[in-house]
Amino acid sequence: MALLRFAPSPTGQLHLGGLRMALYNYLYAKKVGGKWMMRVEDTDTTRFVPDSVDGIRHALDWAGLEYDYGPGKNGPHAPYFQSERLDLYRSYATKLLDSGHAYRCFCTVDKMQAIRERLARSGSNKTYDKTCLHLTEEEVARKVRAGEKSVVRLNDSKVPSRPPPLDIVFGHIKDAHASLSTDPILLKTDLFPTYHLASVVDDHEMGITHVLRGEEWLLSYPLHLDLYACFNLKPPQFAHIPILLNPDGTKMSKRKGDVQVIDYIRGGWEPQAVLNWLALTGWGAKHEMPLPSDPTDHHPRHGKLLQQAPDSTTLMTLPQMINEFELTALTQRSSILDPAKLEYLNKHLLMGVWSTPDGLQTLAERAHSEVKGAFPTSSHTSVVYIKEVISALQGRVTNLHDIVRYGSFFFEEIDLDSEQSQAMLKRIKPEYRSETLKAVIPVINSISEEEWKNLDFLALISKEQDSIEVPYKMFMTVLRHALCGQKDGPTLADVVRIIGRERTFARLSKSYQHSGNI
């Protein structure tokens, strides 16, 4: 059975790249009938942020990505926090020491700096001169007894032969050891492992069959295969996922824009839309992936086209994603995450939901608490009323927050002195405003509540507009200013139908008085 792991570090809120990685783990595990777990890589104590794990779990719950094993769940692979598995890493480090594949290094920070500077001056690309590799067993034992701090380094000159790196996404990878540091550190002075040792040990001990991780780990891939060879273990299959980019082509960063999932939860975005947005970014066409006949050929090429890439604005449910997803269909290039596509996906998802009575009811119920919170003194915040507002706003609602953002005039009385309202007035001649309101107000006042239910508002006001010398466009602008206080919004017929005769009359009268007419 396939077993995958999503392995975030508790260094803050889950970001979009992390959610995408969790999604791909989920999709592939479900696709092949396997399982996936969440493993917390918390060995870097300097970057630990309290409550991070709770935040990550909350984000996964919001997205509907339930892992099979991990924090909060029983499972055969516990514990799921690396900080609780330290004895295991130390035992594996000891195996490497005993086999000669690793050695203790006692060089201080200052000495290491001096060594690196000397090597650089000599034109060497090495980062360490292996000074401590040549210590005798007696010298090592004496230093340990004396309490000297040490790290455990891999002896990269004694690595067993192994097959060249092969990646599900990138194909054959160049075995570029020259880009790695010399004799990488596996166990630090505080006896905590580095990522290299901990990930290899845990993936083996937990029985991980497929490792999905970011493209940034490609450079370390040969090192990790070296470790599997040193332990004489079979490595899992690896798929390195290209990173996400900002719209300007720069790497996504926590310091630049909304990249944390919590921002999208608070922003009112639908989880299905966000998941589609992330999944489809970098999801390419599916090809046959023939192995090159020459293992030294490091230029992966695609075989026969099997399936076209899905449209980047396609909306799929999780079961549909599972059915369509293939790791070999992921592109080998970094992909721009376009916010406009999320807006499109979210809007069309909501349109599909509110097109049915049950869906409209569900959206109104979800929006109810937010509307109540935004307009706590309003008496116009019932679920039934919100359903009418959603129906009127439809084309303007990209996410549920837009109900409050663009429909405030439905829930509270408008402020004619607001900046937006005053900007509208600058385009209206005072005499047009006065004439329009003076013509319409008496007509509205003459209509009974019973007649209002079947009122053709546009026909009514068009008749009044014909009787005065005010251009139609200006006439309608005056009414929109009085009824909505903003230039954009639903049709005025929808507005007056929803707010009712009494509020319509009151708003028109208030605007007339505001214009200086008594």
Side-chain angles (χ1 to χ4, degrees):
M1 182 185 73
L3 181 61
L4 291 84
R5 75 340 184 245
F6 168 57
S9 297
T11 56
Q13 292 287 342
L14 184 66
H15 56 80
L16 291 174
L19 181 60
R20 180 174 178 241
M21 193 64 67
L23 172 62
Y24 284 172
N25 274 275
Y26 172 93
L27 293 179
Y28 190 76
K30 299 299 181 185
K31 174 87 174 183
V32 299
K35 304 283 188 182
W36 72 297
M37 71 173 70
M38 178 171 130
R39 183 178 76 210
V40 182
E41 300 193 337
D42 59 344
T43 56
D44 189 346
T45 56
T46 62
R47 299 176 62 219
F48 175 76
V49 176
D51 301 323
S52 290
V53 175
D54 289 341
I56 293 169
R57 293 178 63 187
H58 171 61
L60 295 180
D61 288 344
W62 170 79
L65 304 179
E66 182 180 1
Y67 48 77
D68 298 289
Y69 312 118
K73 287 179 175 284
N74 293 323
H77 315 285
Y80 296 100
F81 290 82
Q82 287 189 331
S83 59
E84 298 175 12
R85 302 168 66 86
L86 298 180
D87 288 345
L88 185 64
Y89 310 133
R90 292 165 190 166
S91 69
Y92 270 79
T94 300
K95 290 180 182 179
L96 293 177
L97 290 170
D98 292 343
S99 65
H101 291 305
Y103 62 93
R104 294 188 184 278
C105 173
F106 299 88
C107 295
T108 64
V109 173
D110 290 342
K111 184 174 181 180
M112 282 300 306
Q113 180 65 25
I115 291 173
R116 281 193 292 267
E117 290 175 356
R118 175 171 53 78
L119 290 171
R121 285 195 302 270
S122 69
S124 173
N125 61 358
K126 294 184 178 298
T127 58
Y128 183 49
D129 61 3
K130 296 176 177 281
T131 296
C132 292
L133 175 62
H134 307 295
L135 294 175
T136 65
E137 290 185 14
E138 183 181 341
E139 288 173 319
V140 170
R142 186 167 63 249
K143 287 177 177 290
V144 170
R145 286 196 300 271
E148 290 190 37
K149 289 187 175 182
S150 65
V151 298
V152 173
R153 290 182 178 274
L154 177 70
N155 181 3
D156 62 15
S157 58
K158 193 182 178 183
V159 174
S161 61
R162 54 163 177 76
L166 179 65
D167 186 77
I168 296 173
V169 175
F170 287 88
H172 280 266
I173 305 297
K174 186 177 181 181
D175 218 333
H177 282 87
S179 61
L180 298 172
S181 60
T182 306
D183 289 358
I185 294 174
L186 303 178
L187 201 66
K188 297 177 286 187
T189 57
D190 60 4
L191 298 183
F192 273 69
T194 59
Y195 172 82
H196 309 302
L197 178 63
S199 65
V200 166
V201 170
D202 282 340
D203 288 342
H204 169 68
E205 287 287 328
M206 292 177 164
I208 301 300
T209 61
H210 297 76
V211 173
L212 277 56
R213 61 185 184 185
E215 179 186 8
E216 63 270 20
W217 290 110
L218 265 177
L219 288 177
S220 300
Y221 185 22
L223 167 60
H224 298 162
L225 293 179
D226 288 344
L227 286 172
Y228 281 105
C230 290
F231 289 125
N232 195 27
L233 301 174
K234 180 183 177 181
Q237 295 184 62
F238 284 83
H240 289 84
I241 313 299
I243 63 173
L244 296 172
L245 302 175
N246 291 307
D248 62 1
T250 58
K251 184 179 178 180
M252 294 193 74
S253 167
K254 293 180 180 180
R255 296 180 294 276
K256 188 175 183 179
D258 289 343
V259 299
Q260 296 182 344
V261 178
I262 191 67
D263 294 327
Y264 292 84
I265 298 175
R266 292 169 178 164
W269 300 98
E270 300 298 304
Q272 184 183 344
V274 173
L275 291 180
N276 274 265
W277 183 44
L278 295 174
L280 293 169
T281 302
W283 186 331
K286 181 182 176 184
H287 294 81
E288 287 182 344
M289 294 287 286
L291 295 179
S293 56
D294 179 5
T296 64
D297 180 359
H298 302 298
H299 302 283
R301 49 186 177 266
H302 288 133
K304 178 183 176 183
L305 176 66
L306 299 178
Q307 183 176 326
Q308 292 287 353
D311 187 284
S312 61
T313 53
T314 300
L315 268 172
M316 293 186 281
T317 62
L318 275 175
Q320 288 171 330
M321 285 190 210
I322 293 167
N323 185 59
E324 297 294 328
F325 184 71
E326 292 287 352
L327 284 172
T328 54
L330 298 180
T331 62
Q332 296 175 5
R333 63 182 182 276
S334 300
S335 301
I336 288 177
L337 199 56
D338 184 359
K341 289 183 179 178
L342 174 60
E343 293 177 4
Y344 177 93
L345 290 165
N346 209 80
K347 183 173 184 176
H348 283 75
L349 175 62
L350 290 179
M351 289 170 63
V353 174
W354 67 51
S355 65
T356 66
D358 288 345
L360 182 58
Q361 176 74 20
T362 299
L363 288 180
E365 290 173 352
R366 286 177 52 199
H368 184 243
S369 61
E370 182 178 348
V371 171
K372 286 285 290 181
F375 311 106
T377 61
S378 174
S379 57
H380 308 284
T381 58
S382 69
V383 170
V384 172
Y385 185 81
I386 293 172
K387 285 167 62 176
E388 291 193 69
V389 173
I390 292 174
S391 297
L393 287 173
Q394 281 189 14
R396 294 166 178 81
V397 175
T398 298
N399 71 37
L400 283 186
H401 283 2
D402 290 341
I403 297 171
V404 169
R405 186 179 295 119
Y406 298 131
S408 61
F409 54 86
F410 283 114
F411 305 106
E412 64 179 358
E413 295 313 306
I414 60 177
D415 179 6
L416 295 175
D417 293 317
S418 69
E419 184 177 338
Q420 188 172 199
S421 178
Q422 289 298 307
M424 286 186 72
L425 282 180
K426 291 179 180 179
R427 302 196 305 271
I428 303 172
K429 290 183 178 181
E431 58 269 28
Y432 286 168
R433 183 184 185 193
S434 177
E435 288 299 313
T436 298
L437 294 171
K438 188 162 57 175
V440 173
I441 289 172
V443 177
I444 298 297
N445 191 39
S446 67
I447 299 172
S448 68
E449 287 287 354
E450 193 63 32
E451 293 173 316
W452 187 265
K453 295 177 182 177
N454 301 306
L455 178 68
D456 186 341
F457 183 74
L458 291 180
L460 177 71
I461 60 174
S462 293
K463 181 180 178 181
E464 295 307 314
Q465 189 268 332
D466 290 339
S467 68
I468 60 176
E469 295 182 357
V470 176
Y472 182 78
K473 183 177 181 180
M474 193 59 64
F475 181 86
M476 296 300 290
T477 301
V478 170
L479 294 181
R480 183 168 292 281
H481 173 265
L483 295 170
C484 305
Q486 59 189 51
K487 64 177 183 177
D488 298 317
T491 65
L492 291 182
D494 281 337
V495 173
V496 299
R497 174 181 56 81
I498 293 171
I499 67 175
R501 176 193 173 280
E502 183 179 335
R503 294 173 75 197
T504 298
F505 177 75
R507 289 186 182 186
L508 293 171
S509 300
K510 179 181 177 181
S511 182
Y512 185 66
Q513 295 171 8
H514 185 270
S515 67
N517 297 283
I518 303 299

